[in-house]
Amino acid sequence: MKFWDIVRGANSNLLRNKGRSFLTILAIFIGSFTIIMTTGVNNGVNTYIDKQMNSAGGEGYLEIMRESSTTSGLGGMSNEVQEYSAEDNSMASMLITSKDIDKIRAVDGVETAKAWTMLQADYITSASTDKKFTIDLAALPSDTIRIDMAAGRAVAINSTTPEITIADKYVKPLGFSSNEAAIGKKVKVAVTNQISGEMTEVELTISGVTNPSVIGMGRSWVNDRASHALSDQMLAGMPAEYKNQSYFAMAQLKDDWLTDDKIQQVKDDLKEMGFTAMTVEDQVGMIKTFFDAVTMILTIFGVIALVAASIGIINTLFMAVQERTREIGLMKAMGLGRGKIFAMFSWEAVMLGFWGAALGVGLAYLIKVIVNPLAGETFLSGLPGFTLIEFNPVTLTVIVLIVMTIGFLAGTLPARRASKKDPIEALRYE
Amino acid sequence: MSETTIIKTTNLTKVYGKKSATFTALDNVSIEIKRGESVAIIGKSGSGKSTLMHLLALLDKPTSGTIEIGGKDSTKLKNRQVNRLRNHRFGFVFQQFFMNSRDSVLNNVMLPLRIAGIKPSERKRRALEALEIVDLSDKAKSRANDLSGGQKQRVCIARALVNNPAVIFADEPTGNLDSTTGKLVEDLLFSLNKEKDITLIIVTHDEDLASRCNRQIHIKDGQLVAQPRKGAKK
């Protein structure tokens, strides 16, 4: 019997008992579909993160925290009453002071370091509008971080002009006719003094308009000059020590310290001093790790479904072998070898796997076609370029092949039983 | 009738069961069947006639003794070679037809050719030829299940015929048919025997059918008791 006859025969044999075959295929389909969708979404997320990573830049940029502050969150949630320890739990020990900054600057490989100034702006407005809008501000930590600009340029950190970039969505509300028209214009940002509660407006110059992106989503960036002007207003009247404290610091590494080994060395040095340092990659890596874990869990569910489905395959084929005992006997009498009988039933199992997986691919593709544009218009509208579900033909092929292999493995038991049937016994079977 | 021996057995013995409870189904049977002969294996149920046919058709292996097919000792052949031999040189007709009832008549007839690995166009041509011989060309597309008993057995004969076998084994071919249709099927088998020089080995307990054969092989309690030729004393 020729290979294609076996494959075609397998398919037509599956059609002999349509209901039973369909239910078995359905079970395989559920498992395959779960795995395909999960990898599809994971692929979409990872592709997007990679894209963002490549455009984010930030080579040699480190964000630094006190080591204790990374664990205090968990410590706070603990059910145990924890004993006070001056080193670990006090708020003071989580802060980074100007002395710490000096120490960080002294670490080998660190070009520069500074405290991350907390900026809480009340509103932003301009001369061309009466309205005031809330705004999320942050001081641009490093020149190496690339910002996706729609127009103009990023703020120059060391410029003597207080500069700001605004997200493109602010352009129209602030009364500018276009992104380009906004460049060089002045805006006013209001901050409230922490002691007097008095609100002051600070005038900033727009250096550029940003595109929306996942890194610093829609945030407005200011340069050092602007950030000092704002924080001076916020913190006026406070003790100097307090002004110089921060929860975060950032450091920029020297240009010749950008290899993985050297970055690790700096991180280790900082760790010894009681700081945790993270690169942009580390931060994105955390998001990735999270998604990978979710993918893993869902994939395990899919695999469990497939294992259950393969028991279905075994069952279906055992029934088929039983029903076709006489046919098996006849074919053996007519000279069909054991290997071919085994192949016939294995291929039925493989085809069950194939159709289940193919159905999974089909539906997953349909969902991709329908959901991707919908997601783009709704909950992902803020993240242009993010396609929620993305399929990689190689991955899909591999999944289909794996499911077919699972089918084959499940089929070996019934196929073996079929191949071992004695033709005389089989023909006598009623 | 040519004088070439097609099947020859020497001291053929088949024992079922293990040491303590053995049953000798066939005991020292030595027969010789010539090419183009029609032979009836006759005996009561349980006599061992079916066992003999199974051994002759190489569906089973003897406990001792040899079966020569065309001068070659088949007990020394490998499984593959035995399968090939059965596929190329034997045809089978069974009392219960054994057809795939949901499949078309044509597909049923093509089965031995599919097993042989013959390409589809050739299969179809030869199957239609075989159906022509049994006079059922018009039923090629019908479902096997929609045929009458006599038609089914003729389809089975076409199936046995399709690979141009040297020997057709027929196990109670008329057992499930009424006498009129049974007669038709018998006529068909004997005409193939004469016209195509196909050796016919029929297992039966029907005396009338057996008497139409050149020779009868009487089996009783696993032993060969007589081999009367046609026309010899009854």
Side-chain angles (χ1 to χ4, degrees):
Chain A
M1 198 179 268
K2 288 275 188 330
F3 175 73
W4 278 114
D5 285 324
I6 292 177
V7 177
R8 231 176 296 145
N11 268 326
S12 63
N13 280 333
L14 289 180
L15 286 175
R16 279 204 222 173
N17 203 322
K18 292 190 191 70
R20 194 171 66 196
S21 300
F22 176 73
L23 289 174
T24 314
I25 288 171
L26 193 66
I28 301 161
F29 156 76
I30 291 168
S32 323
F33 176 72
T34 311
I35 294 175
I36 292 165
M37 275 320 279
T38 310
T39 44
V41 172
N42 182 266
N43 204 353
V45 170
N46 279 343
T47 309
Y48 183 67
I49 290 174
D50 287 344
K51 242 191 266 173
Q52 290 294 322
M53 269 293 293
N54 290 335
S55 66
E59 286 89 356
Y61 164 70
L62 290 175
E63 251 177 50
I64 299 164
M65 281 180 289
R66 278 280 180 193
E67 190 144 32
S68 57
S69 57
T70 56
T71 54
S72 66
L74 277 177
M77 288 204 299
S78 165
N79 281 329
E80 309 271 324
V81 176
Q82 292 201 332
E83 202 182 337
Y84 170 78
S85 142
E87 287 87 48
D88 280 353
N89 274 342
S90 73
M91 287 297 280
S93 73
M94 285 160 59
L95 291 168
I96 293 176
T97 62
S98 50
K99 276 183 200 156
D100 291 326
I101 301 288
D102 290 341
K103 280 199 270 178
I104 293 168
R105 277 200 191 115
V107 171
D108 270 350
V110 173
E111 169 94 45
T112 171
K114 61 185 173 188
W116 176 294
T117 320
M118 300 277 270
L119 295 174
Q120 270 178 314
D122 294 295
Y123 62 81
I124 184 167
T125 187
S126 78
S128 350
T129 179
D130 297 335
K131 293 196 177 121
K132 297 165 177 173
F133 305 97
T134 59
I135 190 156
D136 186 13
L137 275 188
L140 186 67
S142 161
D143 280 327
T144 60
I145 292 180
R146 279 200 288 277
I147 297 167
D148 189 7
M149 303 303 298
R153 54 166 177 81
V155 294
I157 290 195
N158 298 319
S159 165
T160 49
T161 322
E163 288 179 342
I164 184 169
T165 63
I166 55 169
D168 58 355
K169 60 187 172 189
Y170 280 95
V171 170
K172 288 273 145 66
L174 288 173
F176 304 118
S177 56
S178 70
N179 290 349
E180 285 70 24
I183 313 292
K185 297 276 159 46
K186 301 258 193 286
V187 287
K188 285 177 193 151
V189 172
V191 287
T192 306
N193 185 277
Q194 304 268 302
I195 295 174
S196 63
E198 209 176 296
M199 205 181 273
T200 332
E201 285 184 350
V202 176
E203 200 174 59
L204 307 174
T205 307
I206 298 174
S207 72
V209 178
T210 59
N211 281 323
S213 90
V214 81
I215 298 191
M217 275 153 66
R219 180 179 281 167
S220 293
W221 299 101
V222 295
N223 66 356
D224 280 0
R225 183 62 180 260
S227 123
H228 289 146
L230 291 166
S231 62
D232 282 352
Q233 292 301 328
M234 276 170 73
L235 304 174
M238 284 206 171
E241 249 324 290
Y242 190 83
K243 281 190 201 172
N244 291 329
Q245 285 177 340
S246 171
Y247 289 102
F248 296 97
M250 48 253 177
Q252 181 63 45
L253 299 184
K254 288 177 182 148
D255 286 346
D256 52 347
W257 278 73
L258 301 182
T259 63
D260 287 350
D261 287 351
K262 291 199 167 170
I263 292 173
Q264 193 54 48
Q265 193 187 323
V266 174
K267 281 192 202 166
D268 290 345
D269 287 349
L270 287 168
K271 198 177 169 75
E272 240 164 69
M273 294 160 60
F275 300 109
T276 309
M278 285 172 103
T279 61
V280 175
E281 272 175 51
D282 291 337
Q283 293 179 38
V284 175
M286 277 168 63
I287 303 172
K288 266 189 153 172
T289 311
F290 170 74
F291 274 106
D292 285 345
V294 172
T295 307
M296 183 61 83
I297 291 165
L298 285 174
T299 307
I300 288 170
F301 282 131
V303 169
I304 291 171
L306 277 182
V307 169
S310 60
I311 294 170
I313 295 181
I314 296 176
N315 193 29
T316 300
L317 287 183
F318 266 138
M319 280 198 265
V321 171
Q322 201 71 12
E323 282 169 4
R324 273 149 53 192
T325 297
R326 296 213 294 192
E327 189 187 325
I328 295 165
L330 181 74
M331 289 196 290
K332 281 198 140 186
M334 288 177 170
L336 191 62
R338 278 181 57 170
K340 295 285 168 67
I341 301 262
F342 183 88
M344 273 176 59
F345 282 92
S346 309
W347 264 101
E348 269 180 54
V350 170
M351 290 321 283
L352 283 171
F354 171 77
W355 289 119
L359 226 64
V361 171
L363 185 70
Y365 191 78
L366 198 72
I367 287 182
K368 171 195 142 113
V369 169
I370 294 170
V371 167
N372 273 352
L374 278 180
E377 281 164 26
T378 55
F379 64 96
L380 294 179
S381 59
L383 306 173
F386 186 3
T387 32
L388 183 62
I389 306 161
E390 264 188 57
F391 294 125
N392 172 343
V394 179
T395 321
L396 285 187
T397 314
V398 169
I399 292 174
V400 173
L401 287 179
I402 288 175
V403 175
M404 285 167 81
T405 310
I406 292 174
F408 171 78
L409 292 176
T412 50
L413 255 97
R416 231 175 85 85
R417 179 182 284 186
S419 74
K420 286 178 91 172
K421 285 216 183 275
D422 173 41
I424 299 168
E425 289 292 322
L427 285 171
R428 224 178 262 149
Y429 175 86
E430 290 301 320
Chain B
M1 196 197 303
S2 84
E3 284 302 304
T4 350
T5 299
I6 192 149
I7 301 177
K8 184 183 173 190
T9 72
T10 327
N11 301 329
L12 207 56
T13 302
K14 180 73 184 179
V15 180
Y16 289 111
K18 295 263 159 57
K19 278 172 192 164
S20 54
T22 54
F23 167 70
T24 308
L26 215 57
D27 192 3
N28 269 313
V29 175
S30 300
I31 50 169
E32 207 177 324
I33 296 167
K34 303 258 191 264
R35 190 183 168 84
E37 244 191 316
S38 58
V39 177
I41 300 172
I42 192 160
K44 294 206 178 74
S45 87
S47 60
K49 62 180 193 299
S50 290
T51 305
L52 178 60
M53 189 207 90
H54 292 150
L55 288 173
L56 293 178
L58 307 182
L59 289 170
D60 208 351
K61 287 208 153 75
T63 312
S64 66
T66 58
I67 308 156
E68 283 171 37
I69 309 281
K72 271 191 226 158
D73 186 357
S74 69
T75 50
K76 293 206 174 74
L77 293 176
K78 291 191 179 111
N79 272 336
R80 273 184 92 102
Q81 292 168 305
V82 170
N83 282 336
R84 214 181 127 78
L85 196 69
R86 275 208 308 271
N87 184 248
H88 287 256
R89 312 215 32 204
F90 294 168
F92 293 92
V93 177
F94 298 96
Q95 179 178 2
Q96 305 94 327
F97 318 131
F98 297 140
M99 290 167 69
N100 188 346
S101 55
R102 294 189 190 193
D103 221 338
S104 72
V105 164
L106 189 68
N107 275 337
N108 270 291
V109 175
M110 288 195 300
L111 181 62
L113 303 178
R114 221 167 74 216
I115 292 170
I118 285 161
K119 63 174 196 245
S121 55
E122 173 80 357
R123 268 185 233 164
K124 197 172 173 188
R125 190 181 62 75
R126 284 170 62 177
L128 286 171
E129 255 174 42
L131 281 171
E132 183 83 31
I133 292 169
V134 301
D135 203 19
L136 280 174
S137 303
D138 54 325
K139 297 282 184 194
K141 293 260 175 336
S142 314
R143 264 181 14 145
N145 220 20
D146 299 337
L147 301 182
S148 71
Q151 286 172 327
K152 276 183 189 166
Q153 198 59 300
R154 275 150 68 199
V155 169
C156 289
I157 292 171
R159 185 177 65 189
L161 200 65
V162 78
N163 55 348
N164 286 322
V167 186
I168 287 183
F169 292 92
D171 190 354
E172 303 279 10
T174 56
N176 266 1
L177 305 173
D178 61 71
S179 53
T180 328
T181 43
K183 184 79 170 41
L184 256 155
V185 166
E186 281 174 28
D187 291 346
L188 184 58
L189 283 171
F190 285 110
S191 77
L192 288 172
N193 171 241
K194 285 210 181 62
E195 282 157 30
K196 293 200 157 242
D197 205 26
I198 294 172
T199 310
L200 204 56
I201 298 175
I202 303 174
V203 176
T204 186
H205 55 252
D206 177 353
E207 295 279 351
D208 291 334
L209 172 56
S211 66
R212 292 186 66 180
C213 296
N214 301 136
R215 182 156 54 116
Q216 298 176 17
I217 293 171
H218 286 263
I219 302 287
K220 193 181 174 191
D221 300 330
Q223 286 177 323
L224 178 66
V225 289
Q227 293 194 65
R229 295 208 162 265
K230 193 177 185 180
K233 56 137 189 138
K234 259 211 164 163

PDB file of all heavy atoms in Angstrom, chain A residues 256-275:
ATOM      1  N   ASP A 256      32.663  53.722  27.499  1.00  0.00           N
ATOM      2  CA  ASP A 256      33.403  52.469  27.347  1.00  0.00           C
ATOM      3  C   ASP A 256      33.041  51.451  28.437  1.00  0.00           C
ATOM      4  O   ASP A 256      33.747  50.490  28.663  1.00  0.00           O
ATOM      5  CB  ASP A 256      34.915  52.738  27.323  1.00  0.00           C
ATOM      6  CG  ASP A 256      35.346  53.567  28.514  1.00  0.00           C
ATOM      7  OD1 ASP A 256      34.448  54.128  29.188  1.00  0.00           O
ATOM      8  OD2 ASP A 256      36.551  53.657  28.793  1.00  0.00           O
ATOM      9  N   TRP A 257      31.914  51.671  29.105  1.00  0.00           N
ATOM     10  CA  TRP A 257      31.464  50.740  30.152  1.00  0.00           C
ATOM     11  C   TRP A 257      30.125  50.111  29.799  1.00  0.00           C
ATOM     12  O   TRP A 257      29.342  49.761  30.671  1.00  0.00           O
ATOM     13  CB  TRP A 257      31.338  51.489  31.496  1.00  0.00           C
ATOM     14  CG  TRP A 257      32.657  51.613  32.182  1.00  0.00           C
ATOM     15  CD1 TRP A 257      33.686  52.425  31.826  1.00  0.00           C
ATOM     16  CD2 TRP A 257      33.088  50.888  33.331  1.00  0.00           C
ATOM     17  NE1 TRP A 257      34.747  52.256  32.661  1.00  0.00           N
ATOM     18  CE2 TRP A 257      34.407  51.318  33.616  1.00  0.00           C
ATOM     19  CE3 TRP A 257      32.504  49.918  34.148  1.00  0.00           C
ATOM     20  CZ2 TRP A 257      35.139  50.796  34.676  1.00  0.00           C
ATOM     21  CZ3 TRP A 257      33.228  49.419  35.211  1.00  0.00           C
ATOM     22  CH2 TRP A 257      34.546  49.847  35.460  1.00  0.00           C
ATOM     23  N   LEU A 258      29.880  49.936  28.524  1.00  0.00           N
ATOM     24  CA  LEU A 258      28.529  49.523  28.134  1.00  0.00           C
ATOM     25  C   LEU A 258      28.387  48.025  27.852  1.00  0.00           C
ATOM     26  O   LEU A 258      27.327  47.569  27.452  1.00  0.00           O
ATOM     27  CB  LEU A 258      28.068  50.321  26.908  1.00  0.00           C
ATOM     28  CG  LEU A 258      28.042  51.836  27.141  1.00  0.00           C
ATOM     29  CD1 LEU A 258      27.542  52.563  25.908  1.00  0.00           C
ATOM     30  CD2 LEU A 258      27.171  52.192  28.350  1.00  0.00           C
ATOM     31  N   THR A 259      29.489  47.261  28.043  1.00  0.00           N
ATOM     32  CA  THR A 259      29.339  45.819  27.823  1.00  0.00           C
ATOM     33  C   THR A 259      28.598  45.203  29.007  1.00  0.00           C
ATOM     34  O   THR A 259      28.568  45.765  30.108  1.00  0.00           O
ATOM     35  CB  THR A 259      30.713  45.142  27.693  1.00  0.00           C
ATOM     36  OG1 THR A 259      31.401  45.323  28.928  1.00  0.00           O
ATOM     37  CG2 THR A 259      31.522  45.725  26.560  1.00  0.00           C
ATOM     38  N   ASP A 260      27.978  44.054  28.760  1.00  0.00           N
ATOM     39  CA  ASP A 260      27.196  43.382  29.802  1.00  0.00           C
ATOM     40  C   ASP A 260      28.029  43.146  31.064  1.00  0.00           C
ATOM     41  O   ASP A 260      27.549  43.345  32.184  1.00  0.00           O
ATOM     42  CB  ASP A 260      26.659  42.041  29.293  1.00  0.00           C
ATOM     43  CG  ASP A 260      25.529  42.243  28.296  1.00  0.00           C
ATOM     44  OD1 ASP A 260      25.069  43.399  28.176  1.00  0.00           O
ATOM     45  OD2 ASP A 260      25.122  41.264  27.645  1.00  0.00           O
ATOM     46  N   ASP A 261      29.294  42.735  30.857  1.00  0.00           N
ATOM     47  CA  ASP A 261      30.176  42.441  31.992  1.00  0.00           C
ATOM     48  C   ASP A 261      30.398  43.674  32.853  1.00  0.00           C
ATOM     49  O   ASP A 261      30.298  43.628  34.073  1.00  0.00           O
ATOM     50  CB  ASP A 261      31.546  41.949  31.492  1.00  0.00           C
ATOM     51  CG  ASP A 261      31.445  40.534  30.954  1.00  0.00           C
ATOM     52  OD1 ASP A 261      30.376  39.927  31.144  1.00  0.00           O
ATOM     53  OD2 ASP A 261      32.424  40.071  30.351  1.00  0.00           O
ATOM     54  N   LYS A 262      30.681  44.770  32.162  1.00  0.00           N
ATOM     55  CA  LYS A 262      31.001  45.991  32.910  1.00  0.00           C
ATOM     56  C   LYS A 262      29.768  46.550  33.607  1.00  0.00           C
ATOM     57  O   LYS A 262      29.851  47.025  34.734  1.00  0.00           O
ATOM     58  CB  LYS A 262      31.617  47.019  31.963  1.00  0.00           C
ATOM     59  CG  LYS A 262      33.005  46.581  31.493  1.00  0.00           C
ATOM     60  CD  LYS A 262      33.805  47.736  30.968  1.00  0.00           C
ATOM     61  CE  LYS A 262      35.264  47.297  30.836  1.00  0.00           C
ATOM     62  NZ  LYS A 262      36.060  48.293  30.109  1.00  0.00           N
ATOM     63  N   ILE A 263      28.627  46.471  32.924  1.00  0.00           N
ATOM     64  CA  ILE A 263      27.394  46.953  33.552  1.00  0.00           C
ATOM     65  C   ILE A 263      27.136  46.131  34.814  1.00  0.00           C
ATOM     66  O   ILE A 263      26.798  46.661  35.872  1.00  0.00           O
ATOM     67  CB  ILE A 263      26.200  46.858  32.575  1.00  0.00           C
ATOM     68  CG1 ILE A 263      26.388  47.865  31.437  1.00  0.00           C
ATOM     69  CG2 ILE A 263      24.885  47.121  33.291  1.00  0.00           C
ATOM     70  CD1 ILE A 263      25.369  47.746  30.321  1.00  0.00           C
ATOM     71  N   GLN A 264      27.364  44.820  34.692  1.00  0.00           N
ATOM     72  CA  GLN A 264      27.167  43.942  35.840  1.00  0.00           C
ATOM     73  C   GLN A 264      28.109  44.326  36.972  1.00  0.00           C
ATOM     74  O   GLN A 264      27.723  44.324  38.141  1.00  0.00           O
ATOM     75  CB  GLN A 264      27.385  42.477  35.414  1.00  0.00           C
ATOM     76  CG  GLN A 264      26.902  41.447  36.424  1.00  0.00           C
ATOM     77  CD  GLN A 264      25.448  41.655  36.819  1.00  0.00           C
ATOM     78  OE1 GLN A 264      24.580  41.828  35.967  1.00  0.00           O
ATOM     79  NE2 GLN A 264      25.180  41.688  38.125  1.00  0.00           N
ATOM     80  N   GLN A 265      29.334  44.693  36.582  1.00  0.00           N
ATOM     81  CA  GLN A 265      30.321  45.083  37.601  1.00  0.00           C
ATOM     82  C   GLN A 265      29.839  46.306  38.374  1.00  0.00           C
ATOM     83  O   GLN A 265      29.910  46.354  39.594  1.00  0.00           O
ATOM     84  CB  GLN A 265      31.650  45.371  36.910  1.00  0.00           C
ATOM     85  CG  GLN A 265      32.811  45.470  37.875  1.00  0.00           C
ATOM     86  CD  GLN A 265      34.072  45.940  37.140  1.00  0.00           C
ATOM     87  OE1 GLN A 265      34.310  45.562  36.006  1.00  0.00           O
ATOM     88  NE2 GLN A 265      34.859  46.770  37.800  1.00  0.00           N
ATOM     89  N   VAL A 266      29.301  47.289  37.632  1.00  0.00           N
ATOM     90  CA  VAL A 266      28.785  48.494  38.287  1.00  0.00           C
ATOM     91  C   VAL A 266      27.623  48.131  39.202  1.00  0.00           C
ATOM     92  O   VAL A 266      27.539  48.587  40.353  1.00  0.00           O
ATOM     93  CB  VAL A 266      28.342  49.536  37.233  1.00  0.00           C
ATOM     94  CG1 VAL A 266      27.679  50.725  37.906  1.00  0.00           C
ATOM     95  CG2 VAL A 266      29.530  49.977  36.399  1.00  0.00           C
ATOM     96  N   LYS A 267      26.737  47.263  38.690  1.00  0.00           N
ATOM     97  CA  LYS A 267      25.591  46.854  39.503  1.00  0.00           C
ATOM     98  C   LYS A 267      26.060  46.188  40.793  1.00  0.00           C
ATOM     99  O   LYS A 267      25.498  46.441  41.871  1.00  0.00           O
ATOM    100  CB  LYS A 267      24.724  45.859  38.717  1.00  0.00           C
ATOM    101  CG  LYS A 267      23.820  46.473  37.687  1.00  0.00           C
ATOM    102  CD  LYS A 267      22.848  45.392  37.247  1.00  0.00           C
ATOM    103  CE  LYS A 267      22.246  45.676  35.907  1.00  0.00           C
ATOM    104  NZ  LYS A 267      21.584  44.486  35.363  1.00  0.00           N
ATOM    105  N   ASP A 268      27.087  45.336  40.653  1.00  0.00           N
ATOM    106  CA  ASP A 268      27.614  44.641  41.837  1.00  0.00           C
ATOM    107  C   ASP A 268      28.207  45.625  42.835  1.00  0.00           C
ATOM    108  O   ASP A 268      27.991  45.508  44.046  1.00  0.00           O
ATOM    109  CB  ASP A 268      28.672  43.608  41.415  1.00  0.00           C
ATOM    110  CG  ASP A 268      28.042  42.436  40.676  1.00  0.00           C
ATOM    111  OD1 ASP A 268      26.800  42.302  40.748  1.00  0.00           O
ATOM    112  OD2 ASP A 268      28.775  41.681  40.023  1.00  0.00           O
ATOM    113  N   ASP A 269      28.952  46.597  42.296  1.00  0.00           N
ATOM    114  CA  ASP A 269      29.545  47.611  43.179  1.00  0.00           C
ATOM    115  C   ASP A 269      28.454  48.349  43.947  1.00  0.00           C
ATOM    116  O   ASP A 269      28.554  48.575  45.153  1.00  0.00           O
ATOM    117  CB  ASP A 269      30.358  48.618  42.346  1.00  0.00           C
ATOM    118  CG  ASP A 269      31.660  47.985  41.848  1.00  0.00           C
ATOM    119  OD1 ASP A 269      31.990  46.878  42.330  1.00  0.00           O
ATOM    120  OD2 ASP A 269      32.311  48.582  40.973  1.00  0.00           O
ATOM    121  N   LEU A 270      27.392  48.702  43.208  1.00  0.00           N
ATOM    122  CA  LEU A 270      26.302  49.451  43.834  1.00  0.00           C
ATOM    123  C   LEU A 270      25.584  48.593  44.866  1.00  0.00           C
ATOM    124  O   LEU A 270      25.168  49.074  45.915  1.00  0.00           O
ATOM    125  CB  LEU A 270      25.311  49.933  42.769  1.00  0.00           C
ATOM    126  CG  LEU A 270      25.826  51.084  41.894  1.00  0.00           C
ATOM    127  CD1 LEU A 270      24.917  51.292  40.690  1.00  0.00           C
ATOM    128  CD2 LEU A 270      25.923  52.373  42.711  1.00  0.00           C
ATOM    129  N   LYS A 271      25.474  47.305  44.572  1.00  0.00           N
ATOM    130  CA  LYS A 271      24.799  46.391  45.475  1.00  0.00           C
ATOM    131  C   LYS A 271      25.549  46.320  46.806  1.00  0.00           C
ATOM    132  O   LYS A 271      24.944  46.287  47.872  1.00  0.00           O
ATOM    133  CB  LYS A 271      24.728  45.005  44.832  1.00  0.00           C
ATOM    134  CG  LYS A 271      23.694  44.081  45.473  1.00  0.00           C
ATOM    135  CD  LYS A 271      23.647  42.772  44.709  1.00  0.00           C
ATOM    136  CE  LYS A 271      22.843  41.728  45.448  1.00  0.00           C
ATOM    137  NZ  LYS A 271      21.407  41.950  45.371  1.00  0.00           N
ATOM    138  N   GLU A 272      26.867  46.319  46.695  1.00  0.00           N
ATOM    139  CA  GLU A 272      27.680  46.282  47.908  1.00  0.00           C
ATOM    140  C   GLU A 272      27.430  47.513  48.771  1.00  0.00           C
ATOM    141  O   GLU A 272      27.509  47.467  49.987  1.00  0.00           O
ATOM    142  CB  GLU A 272      29.164  46.231  47.519  1.00  0.00           C
ATOM    143  CG  GLU A 272      29.863  44.982  48.032  1.00  0.00           C
ATOM    144  CD  GLU A 272      31.179  44.791  47.320  1.00  0.00           C
ATOM    145  OE1 GLU A 272      32.098  45.597  47.549  1.00  0.00           O
ATOM    146  OE2 GLU A 272      31.264  43.840  46.504  1.00  0.00           O
ATOM    147  N   MET A 273      27.105  48.608  48.098  1.00  0.00           N
ATOM    148  CA  MET A 273      26.838  49.851  48.824  1.00  0.00           C
ATOM    149  C   MET A 273      25.383  49.916  49.293  1.00  0.00           C
ATOM    150  O   MET A 273      24.975  50.882  49.933  1.00  0.00           O
ATOM    151  CB  MET A 273      27.120  51.056  47.909  1.00  0.00           C
ATOM    152  CG  MET A 273      28.597  51.176  47.547  1.00  0.00           C
ATOM    153  SD  MET A 273      28.822  52.202  46.063  1.00  0.00           S
ATOM    154  CE  MET A 273      28.103  53.727  46.635  1.00  0.00           C
ATOM    155  N   GLY A 274      24.596  48.917  48.964  1.00  0.00           N
ATOM    156  CA  GLY A 274      23.205  48.871  49.429  1.00  0.00           C
ATOM    157  C   GLY A 274      22.202  49.414  48.436  1.00  0.00           C
ATOM    158  O   GLY A 274      21.091  49.768  48.793  1.00  0.00           O
ATOM    159  N   PHE A 275      22.612  49.479  47.162  1.00  0.00           N
ATOM    160  CA  PHE A 275      21.673  49.980  46.147  1.00  0.00           C
ATOM    161  C   PHE A 275      21.328  48.880  45.145  1.00  0.00           C
ATOM    162  O   PHE A 275      22.116  47.984  44.900  1.00  0.00           O
ATOM    163  CB  PHE A 275      22.292  51.146  45.368  1.00  0.00           C
ATOM    164  CG  PHE A 275      22.651  52.321  46.225  1.00  0.00           C
ATOM    165  CD1 PHE A 275      23.989  52.631  46.474  1.00  0.00           C
ATOM    166  CD2 PHE A 275      21.660  53.112  46.778  1.00  0.00           C
ATOM    167  CE1 PHE A 275      24.323  53.707  47.266  1.00  0.00           C
ATOM    168  CE2 PHE A 275      22.003  54.202  47.576  1.00  0.00           C
ATOM    169  CZ  PHE A 275      23.329  54.498  47.824  1.00  0.00           C
TER     170      PHE A 275
END
